[in-house]
């Protein structure tokens, strides 16, 4: 494939992540021209449970980059959060950590 064909192919692909991307990764997703960006747990959720993250949402990154050339990636967030939120919540939960230590 030529570089032009490769770039065009991104417009047919979806990227799935179990959590909303950081601002840098969200920018890379937008620049790459994926057809869709689909994620579960939000940045705000991870911040609320103790992760040290920037709280700039992917939505804000995408809104500020609408004028960029190329494909406009559609975004669908908070998918299956009942399954993804627990993956990020346990790490800073003292009760859960004590149960893991005690066995």
């Amino acid at each position: 494939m030529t570089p032009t064909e490769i770039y065009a192919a991104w417009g047919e692909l979806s990227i799935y992540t179990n959590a909303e991307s950081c601002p840098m990764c969200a920018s890379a997703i937008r620049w790459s021209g994926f057809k869709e960006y689909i994620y579960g747990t939000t940045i705000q959720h991870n911040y609320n449970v103790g992760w040290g993250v920037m709280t700039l949402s992917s939505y804000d990154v995408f809104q500020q980059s609408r004028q960029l050339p190329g494909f406009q990636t559609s975004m669908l967030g908070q998918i299956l959060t009942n399954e993804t939120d627990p993956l990020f919540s346990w790490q800073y939960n003292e009760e859960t950590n004590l149960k893991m230590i005690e066995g």
Side-chain angles (χ1 to χ4, degrees):
M1 294 179 87
T2 68
T4 302
E5 291 170 330
I6 292 169
Y7 182 70
W10 287 113
E12 300 300 318
L13 300 174
S14 299
I15 184 169
Y16 295 82
T17 64
N18 54 7
E20 183 176 5
S21 300
C22 71
M24 183 178 69
C25 292
S27 297
I29 290 168
R30 168 58 184 94
W31 272 105
S32 66
F34 280 100
K35 178 182 176 182
E36 300 172 304
Y37 162 45
I38 304 158
Y39 64 88
T41 299
T42 64
I43 285 178
Q44 189 62 51
H45 171 272
N46 286 346
Y47 175 80
N48 292 344
V49 297
W51 287 71
V53 296
M54 295 175 69
T55 56
L56 180 64
S57 72
S58 293
Y59 175 82
D60 291 335
V61 170
F62 276 48
Q63 284 297 106
Q64 294 300 316
S65 63
R66 283 185 295 168
Q67 77 284 1
L68 294 175
F71 298 105
Q72 293 297 315
T73 303
S74 64
M75 184 172 44
L76 186 57
Q78 301 184 39
I79 303 302
L80 297 174
T81 55
N82 60 314
E83 295 182 22
T84 60
D85 284 359
L87 297 172
F88 296 95
S89 298
W90 69 269
Q91 186 171 3
Y92 295 100
N93 182 320
E94 287 184 34
E95 185 177 309
T96 301
N97 288 333
L98 285 175
K99 287 179 186 177
M100 290 175 68
I101 292 169
E102 294 171 355

